[in-house]
Amino acid sequence: MNTQHSNNEEFRNILGTRVVFHIDFDYFYAQCEEIRSPELRSKPVCVCVFSNRGGDSGAIATANYTARKYGVKSGIPITFAKKRLEERKDAVFLPVDFDYYIEISEKAMKMMKSNADVFEYVGKDEAYLDVTKRVDGDFERASHFAQQIKNSIRDEIKLGCSIGISPNKLISKIASNFKKPDGLTIIPPDKIDEFLEPLKIRTIPGIGKKTEERFLEMNLETILDLKKLDVFTLNKEFGRKSGTYIYNAVRGIDNEPVKEREARTQYSKIVTLKKDSKDYQFLSENIIKLCKEVHDIIIKNNKMFKSIGIHFVQSDLSSKSKSRMLRNPTSNLEELQKNADQLLKEALENQTITIRRLGVKVAEISEVQGQSDITNYF
Ligand code: DGT
Ligand code: CA
Ligand code: CA
């Protein structure tokens, strides 16, 4: 063991040795479709986001592994996918059904949460579990425990997933993606360098195409290659925040704790008005402001919403609310303001009592699609 290596070990253990799982559901939307219609399992299945222009315009959200063999993947136009699958007359193209996927996701998340010391929801199809206490810090036990979780999700929900196990979130995330579908990849502390070094730079979460290309220009392809760069060079090239992140990541260093977080189903803001009122003009100004505040949170969290609601607490402290569902998820401020204002107008139509507190709420939350690239962070 060289000194560089033992240094890394020390850094990795600032929080004591942890056992962290990253669980990611395989080809999630397409697998949900297979669960509902098992006859799809032998066919190429593509889940499509049809745009409102009609016909086949739109993109592939995801595809099962049979379809992927033909080069179908997330983000490509539906027309490309159809061409690539031309020879498969049995290929199936289905529209997304988010409500159904969320239902399955919630069931699986509940099972995972009950098996964690700390549970961190990341998105519909992935979560981190800190299980250090449950397995007494033992990676052998962790491996059996993960297999049990996989089995019970499979038995009860018919859902397959891949699990990465390591001492931190970063390596576990890379490990869950290492073997898919139905993978279980265990990286105990003494195997970290061996695991990371041969991997392509791109496997580090946050490193996207552009960053990868810059490294390729410097003739650096693997994580081992990246270790040649010192932190000063990286900081100069990418800024201090990303530079340091990359420097640590290639050494398997990540001290981010698993933070308790559950799936967020709504975001809202409520204010007590300067005066009790049922005057449209006055209330509308407040609604517009509240929308802006809710919208800021939505953007910060990279979310979209499909349901918009307003809420009154009236002068007698009774409540009243009204909501509507949009046709498509959006993250657009004007659309939020327009709809909330319309709801206000409708709600005021036969309003007799004045209003004391006013709120805006968005629900049916989904992730903004497309992966963020580290170069977009800064
Ligand atoms: P995998 O690789 O077996 O985990 O496959 P997925 O499909 O579960 O892929 P993942 O984990 O990257 O994404 C989870 C879900 O997010 C996926 O089922 C569909 C959605 N998604 C991913 N990428 C895109 C995209 O580029 N566009 C759209 N509309 N949806 C996407
Ligand atoms: Ca997935
Ligand atoms: Ca995922």
Side-chain angles (χ1 to χ4, degrees):
M1 202 192 271
N2 58 32
T3 41
Q4 181 63 51
H5 189 125
S6 44
N7 263 343
N8 291 346
E9 289 286 279
E10 212 173 283
F11 273 119
R12 283 169 191 151
N13 293 333
I14 284 172
L15 303 173
T17 299
R18 296 177 292 153
V19 183
V20 174
F21 288 3
H22 180 256
I23 307 187
D24 188 291
F25 308 152
D26 301 324
Y27 61 102
F28 183 51
Y29 300 171
Q31 201 185 169
C32 290
E33 296 296 345
E34 290 181 357
I35 294 170
R36 148 157 85 185
S37 324
E39 75 279 3
L40 294 177
R41 287 196 188 269
S42 58
K43 303 173 181 174
V45 177
C46 304
V47 176
C48 310
V49 185
F50 290 101
S51 76
N52 48 20
R53 298 214 187 135
D56 279 341
S57 87
I60 300 296
T62 195
N64 68 0
Y65 281 74
T66 308
R68 288 184 198 191
K69 274 192 224 141
Y70 294 82
V72 176
K73 54 183 183 182
S74 298
I76 68 167
I78 297 164
T79 48
F80 287 16
K82 288 205 167 166
K83 236 173 246 141
R84 289 177 191 175
L85 283 165
E86 217 157 29
E87 64 185 88
R88 290 294 298 249
K89 297 293 172 232
D90 57 342
V92 178
F93 296 82
L94 300 166
V96 284
D97 180 353
F98 292 117
D99 294 343
Y100 167 61
Y101 310 148
I102 288 170
E103 209 179 288
I104 297 211
S105 170
E106 280 174 355
K107 279 190 213 156
M109 291 290 167
K110 208 170 145 201
M111 294 179 66
M112 297 194 293
K113 186 174 157 61
S114 69
N115 281 298
D117 302 335
V118 187
F119 175 81
E120 180 175 336
Y121 172 92
V122 182
K124 278 196 275 299
D125 85 321
E126 62 189 277
Y128 291 104
L129 284 67
D130 190 316
V131 299
T132 312
K133 288 199 200 111
R134 304 220 170 196
V135 303
D136 207 12
D138 182 326
F139 277 77
E140 187 74 28
R141 279 174 64 183
S143 140
H144 292 134
F145 188 47
Q147 192 58 57
Q148 277 173 20
I149 296 179
K150 272 166 77 82
N151 293 347
S152 49
I153 296 179
R154 169 88 64 192
D155 291 345
E156 287 179 34
I157 313 177
K158 310 278 171 257
L159 182 69
C161 63
S162 297
I163 305 188
I165 307 178
S166 84
N168 66 44
K169 296 208 287 193
L170 172 78
I171 303 167
S172 296
K173 169 101 184 163
I174 297 173
S176 72
N177 200 37
F178 183 70
K179 188 182 166 291
K180 254 184 173 291
D182 199 25
L184 176 57
T185 304
I186 303 140
I187 315 297
D190 60 335
K191 293 284 190 295
I192 293 174
D193 294 306
E194 194 182 313
F195 171 66
L196 291 178
E197 285 176 352
L199 299 177
K200 292 256 160 53
I201 288 166
R202 187 70 186 273
T203 51
I204 299 172
I207 294 200
K209 211 173 173 167
K210 278 186 233 148
T211 315
E212 182 187 44
E213 277 164 11
R214 277 166 79 181
F215 284 126
L216 283 178
E217 280 164 22
M218 300 185 236
N219 238 335
L220 305 169
E221 201 182 337
T222 64
I223 290 184
L224 178 63
D225 294 340
L226 261 195
K227 281 191 176 172
K228 290 181 206 149
L229 301 184
D230 59 55
V231 73
F232 304 104
T233 313
L234 283 164
N235 287 354
K236 215 169 77 201
E237 194 75 18
F238 296 98
R240 201 174 60 85
K241 206 168 167 190
S242 332
T244 310
Y245 168 74
I246 296 170
Y247 181 85
N248 285 330
V250 299
R251 288 163 179 79
I253 298 167
D254 168 32
N255 287 309
E256 276 299 303
V258 176
K259 293 185 267 302
E260 198 64 49
R261 192 164 96 95
E262 289 191 50
R264 184 58 105 119
T265 53
Q266 62 174 63
Y267 292 89
S268 63
K269 277 275 168 190
I270 186 157
V271 285
T272 302
L273 298 165
K274 290 216 173 72
K275 55 174 197 263
D276 290 13
S277 166
K278 60 188 179 88
D279 172 53
Y280 166 72
Q281 209 54 47
F282 173 72
L283 295 169
S284 175
E285 283 162 22
N286 281 281
I287 284 278
I288 298 300
K289 254 189 258 159
L290 285 165
C291 286
K292 176 76 173 75
E293 289 173 23
V294 172
H295 185 258
D296 286 345
I297 307 173
I298 280 283
I299 294 301
K300 212 169 84 206
N301 288 282
N302 222 16
K303 304 289 188 213
M304 305 203 287
F305 50 89
K306 214 177 142 193
S307 159
I308 296 175
I310 62 165
H311 183 82
F312 297 164
V313 177
Q314 307 178 110
S315 303
D316 64 356
L317 298 185
S318 65
S319 294
K320 185 170 166 183
S321 47
K322 222 173 159 48
S323 69
R324 67 162 54 155
M325 193 69 90
L326 305 175
R327 203 169 300 174
N328 295 301
T330 181
S331 58
N332 184 284
L333 175 61
E334 283 73 45
E335 202 170 346
L336 171 59
Q337 288 173 328
K338 198 185 77 197
N339 280 283
D341 197 57
Q342 187 63 40
L343 286 168
L344 174 67
K345 264 188 205 137
E346 289 167 20
L348 287 178
E349 263 163 28
N350 34 39
Q351 182 76 16
T352 47
I353 183 168
T354 54
I355 296 151
R356 181 183 154 78
R357 306 188 75 206
L358 185 62
V360 167
K361 168 187 100 178
V362 296
E364 298 292 317
I365 303 298
S366 54
E367 309 291 314
V368 168
Q369 276 133 18
Q371 299 250 310
S372 40
D373 185 291
I374 195 169
T375 49
N376 299 334
Y377 289 2
F378 309 101

